[in-house]
Amino acid sequence: GSFKERGARNALLKLDAASAQRGVIAASAGNHAQGIAYHAGLLNIPVTVVMPQFAALVKVTNCRTLGATVVLHGNDLSEARVKAEEIARERGLTFIHPFDNADVIAGQGTMALEILEQTPSVDAIVVPVGGGGLLSGIGTVMKRRKPGVTIIGVEPENAACLTAGLAHGSPVTVTLSSTLADGLAVPTIGALPFAMLRNVVDTVVTVTEANIALAILRLIELEKSVVEGAGAAPLAAFLAGKLDSLKGKDVVLTLCGGNIDLSILDRVIETGLVADGRRWRFSVSISDRPGGLARLCEVIASTGASVQEIVHDRAFAGPDLSAVHVICVVETTGRAHIEKLGAALAAANIRVVG
């Protein structure tokens, strides 16, 4: 379900017989763990994966189903990685880093070879950035095979470790915030990827959580594809207007992961609808006399908006006992529709208070 199996497979194939017999260990929140578990099973190599305690249950279950021994440890990926390296030393296992590993980076770079085969006219490639393994692999191949291709990295604002590293001149640790692109939630860019990226990446941009949610929604609606937040980051950059300079060019977006947590997909879609102006929540103060609510609904209906939820709040409506506070959630077609509804409410002397 993600590009991570490319690097996992390549790294496993590079093991000598003794190392393969002892086994491997990896630390990952999901995709690298699943890639290692899947291919280690195919190659009959014992595998252990250390996952943070917050890891999506579906990814934990998948790793176990694929035959991996799963260790849940730490509050984030950094703590899980420390534990994995500790176990590797104790048991003589080979630790396979998810991005700071030359064999893993080479495996990820095979995506660039396929892009050249399928889209030889490519002018630019937009790639999500977490630890930097995919971006450095694709960038290295492209700059060797077709140097004129523009290589662009995209990070969530809540985990912009490459942006920070480039500004500092070397990898630095950033404070992470919660992000829909959990596969990109890496506090420090890899040392090896960073050294490579400085020579092959042309631009790095960041995107908000709303941008990412909207990109996931667009891909579901237009491409009929469920893409996880990390994989949707390239489209998020376009929706945010960060890459308008590429208009009219042949651009490849690497939608490189589909392992979204289905338990939060409905919330992601709702967030995307809000970001797209297709859900609007507003509060109004209306008369508490008979007909007041009906009049509000008539105004909403007159614009073609659809009421999704409506809540009366008398206790906190203020000192005017003839008024009631009403919170409405409506379905609209976009920002222009919201403006139309707002104008209709104002024309009807219905005051929006929040």
Side-chain angles (χ1 to χ4, degrees):
S2 115
F3 75 93
K4 289 285 190 177
E5 65 171 321
R6 296 169 181 261
R9 177 83 179 188
N10 193 50
L12 290 168
L13 289 173
K14 292 297 187 73
L15 294 173
D16 58 50
S19 297
Q21 186 174 16
R22 285 193 300 271
V24 300
I25 188 168
S28 165
N31 287 342
H32 178 60
Q34 290 180 123
I36 286 285
Y38 176 66
H39 285 284
L42 294 179
L43 297 169
N44 295 316
I45 298 173
V47 58
T48 300
V49 295
V50 182
M51 307 178 77
Q53 293 177 349
F54 71 83
L57 292 179
V58 64
K59 295 182 180 180
V60 174
T61 300
N62 286 347
C63 287
R64 287 176 174 150
T65 301
L66 291 168
T69 298
V70 177
V71 177
L72 296 177
H73 179 85
N75 294 318
D76 56 35
L77 196 53
S78 296
E79 294 181 6
R81 189 172 298 131
V82 170
K83 183 65 175 179
E85 292 174 338
E86 177 185 317
I87 295 173
R89 290 190 296 269
E90 292 174 353
R91 302 181 188 175
L93 306 178
T94 299
F95 175 67
I96 300 181
H97 198 284
F99 49 82
D100 217 349
N101 178 300
D103 294 328
V104 168
I105 293 172
Q108 320 300 31
T110 60
M111 188 183 289
L113 300 177
E114 292 184 31
I115 290 172
L116 284 172
E117 290 174 0
Q118 297 176 25
T119 316
S121 62
V122 61
D123 295 313
I125 303 176
V126 187
V127 185
V129 186
L134 178 63
L135 183 60
S136 59
I138 288 178
T140 298
V141 171
M142 279 295 169
K143 292 302 184 182
R144 179 63 62 88
R145 295 292 183 90
K146 194 175 180 183
V149 173
T150 301
I151 303 298
I152 299 165
V154 182
E155 296 183 294
E157 287 184 357
N158 290 354
C161 62
L162 176 55
T163 300
L166 291 172
H168 188 265
S170 63
V172 294
T173 300
V174 300
T175 300
L176 299 178
S177 298
S178 178
T179 175
L180 292 172
D182 58 325
L184 306 181
V186 177
T188 310
I189 195 78
L192 179 57
F194 184 79
M196 300 168 68
L197 289 171
R198 299 183 71 175
N199 299 316
V200 300
V201 173
D202 298 293
T203 305
V204 180
V205 300
T206 60
V207 292
T208 67
E209 295 304 295
N211 298 149
I212 296 170
L214 181 55
I216 294 171
L217 177 66
R218 283 280 192 274
L219 289 165
I220 291 173
E221 288 187 316
L222 302 179
E223 295 296 326
K224 316 307 176 190
S225 299
V226 178
V227 178
E228 64 184 276
L235 179 57
F238 284 93
L239 297 177
K242 297 290 186 77
L243 300 175
D244 287 349
S245 62
L246 297 178
K247 288 181 178 179
K249 297 184 178 181
D250 289 341
V251 183
V252 171
L253 283 66
T254 56
L255 309 180
C256 51
N259 294 318
I260 194 167
D261 185 351
L262 293 181
S263 66
I264 67 166
L265 183 56
D266 58 337
R267 291 163 53 194
V268 173
I269 291 173
E270 286 294 326
T271 301
L273 290 171
V274 171
D276 203 24
R278 291 156 62 186
R279 289 284 190 278
W280 185 36
R281 185 178 69 179
F282 61 94
S283 301
V284 294
S285 180
I286 64 173
S287 172
D288 197 25
R289 294 172 181 170
L293 181 59
R295 182 164 171 266
L296 170 63
C297 292
E298 286 176 3
V299 173
I300 294 173
S302 71
T303 67
S306 176
V307 175
Q308 300 291 303
E309 182 180 352
I310 195 162
V311 178
H312 280 75
D313 182 2
R314 287 185 173 87
F316 297 94
D320 185 356
L321 299 183
S322 67
V324 63
H325 194 71
V326 178
I327 303 170
C328 298
V329 177
V330 296
E331 182 180 3
T332 53
T333 58
R335 297 291 175 189
H337 195 174
I338 290 176
E339 292 178 6
K340 179 181 177 181
L341 176 53
L345 291 169
N349 292 317
I350 298 174
R351 185 168 58 93
V352 177
V353 295

